[in-house]
Amino acid sequence: MSTAKHKVLIVDDEPDIRELIEYSLKKEGYQVFTATNGQEAVTEAKRTLPDLIILDIMMPKMDGIEACRILRSMNEFKNTFMVFLTARSEEYSEIAGFNVGADDYIAKPIKPRALVSRVNAILRRNVQAEAEEGNKLEIADLIIDREAYLVFRDGERITLAKKEFELLYLLASRPGKVYTRDVILNAIWEESVVVTNRTIDVHIRKLREKLGDRYISTVKGVGYKFEEK
C-alpha cells in the first residue's frame, strides 16, 4: 500500500514518544505532524487535515478526550480516524474515549512494528471504504450491496429488513470502529421516531440470528462494532 499521500498527526506531551512514532511512520512513507497537547492538536489538525490522529489521553492544557470531542464536532473531521495512545487500562477511560468518537486504542509502551501494522491496517480500511462508497462492501465472506439492499454470504442471499440492512452497512463500513448507541440511533432512525436502546439490541440480535455471531461484537457499556475476520 502506498502511504505517501497519508497524513498522520501525533499528539503526545512526551518528546521520546512523539519522536519514536514519528520516526517509525516516516520510515514507512507517511507524512507526519506533531503536537504536544490537545490545544495544539486542534490547531494543527485544522491546518494539516490529517487522515489519522493519534492522541495521548493524559496531557497538559487539554487532554486527548476533550481534543477528540472538539475535533469530532467539526465537519472536516467527522470521518477522520482517531486513535488513543495510552498507558491507562481503566475501563472508564476506554468508554470515555469511544463515547467521544475514538476508533481504537494503541497501548504504551510503544512497539514500533506493531504500531506501524496497526496504522497500515486502519488506513487500508479507509481506502477500501472510499473505493466502495455508494456501491458495495466486500468484507470477510460478505457482499453488502447498498444500492440493491442485498446481502450475500459465500454466495448465498441473506434476507434482511431495511433497518437491519442499514445497521449492518453502518457497522461494516468501518470495521473495528465502535459505534455508540447514540451514533447508531442518529444514523439509522429519524429524529421523529421514538427509539430506545432496546430497539438497537433487538436489531443486533436479529442480525446475529441471520448472519451468525462472529461478525458483530458488543463493547460493554459503549456499543457495537463489526469484526473483520
Side-chain angles (χ1 to χ4, degrees):
M1 177 188 67
S2 173
T3 62
K5 67 179 180 179
H6 289 121
K7 295 182 286 187
V8 180
L9 173 60
I10 303 163
V11 189
D12 199 300
D13 60 325
E14 298 182 48
D16 291 346
I17 297 295
R18 289 198 310 273
E19 291 171 8
L20 175 61
I21 299 175
E22 182 177 10
Y23 173 80
S24 300
L25 293 181
K26 280 186 174 180
K27 190 177 178 181
E28 288 291 308
Y30 289 102
Q31 297 180 58
V32 180
F33 306 90
T34 62
T36 63
N37 59 63
Q39 288 181 354
E40 287 185 12
V42 173
T43 300
E44 189 69 5
K46 289 191 288 186
R47 185 183 74 84
T48 60
L49 299 177
D51 302 290
L52 168 67
I53 302 175
I54 300 175
L55 287 155
D56 189 28
I57 287 186
M58 300 300 295
M59 294 183 292
K61 296 186 179 180
M62 182 188 292
D63 64 25
I65 299 288
E66 180 64 11
C68 183
R69 185 191 66 77
I70 291 173
L71 289 168
R72 280 289 189 235
S73 70
M74 303 178 186
N75 287 332
E76 58 265 49
F77 301 110
K78 292 290 187 183
N79 297 315
T80 302
F81 283 97
M82 298 193 194
V83 176
F84 278 123
L85 178 67
T86 179
R88 303 181 65 180
S89 58
E90 295 93 334
E91 184 178 0
Y92 77 86
S93 295
E94 295 190 5
I95 292 174
F98 285 130
N99 280 336
V100 296
D103 293 293
D104 205 347
Y105 276 80
I106 296 176
K108 294 180 180 178
I110 300 298
K111 297 178 180 178
R113 290 179 63 183
L115 179 138
V116 169
S117 294
R118 182 78 67 86
V119 169
N120 287 343
I122 289 170
L123 291 174
R124 182 167 56 246
R125 291 200 303 263
N126 192 39
V127 170
Q128 291 171 342
E130 289 175 355
E132 293 160 346
E133 183 69 24
N135 192 4
K136 296 180 181 179
L137 291 177
E138 296 187 21
I139 186 166
D141 54 357
L142 298 178
I143 296 176
I144 307 171
D145 187 336
R146 185 167 63 177
E147 293 182 352
Y149 272 73
L150 295 175
V151 177
F152 296 89
R153 183 183 59 202
D154 288 332
E156 178 185 356
R157 179 173 174 174
I158 307 295
T159 301
L160 299 180
K162 183 174 185 291
K163 293 301 183 186
E164 293 169 5
F165 178 92
E166 291 174 353
L167 177 54
L168 174 64
Y169 193 92
L170 174 68
L171 298 176
S173 65
R174 294 282 291 275
K177 174 179 172 58
V178 179
Y179 285 86
T180 67
R181 287 177 170 82
D182 285 343
V183 169
I184 293 172
L185 286 173
N186 291 333
I188 304 299
W189 280 272
E190 300 175 5
E191 292 183 2
S192 60
V193 179
V194 178
V195 180
T196 66
N197 287 340
R198 178 60 179 162
T199 302
I200 297 175
D201 295 339
V202 169
H203 281 73
I204 292 291
R205 177 174 56 79
K206 290 180 178 179
L207 282 175
R208 286 170 172 162
E209 289 175 353
K210 295 177 179 181
L211 298 174
D213 293 335
R214 70 184 182 90
Y215 299 100
I216 300 172
S217 63
T218 302
V219 179
K220 187 177 180 181
V222 184
Y224 298 98
K225 67 178 179 177
F226 188 93
E227 298 285 0
E228 185 177 10
K229 298 178 180 178

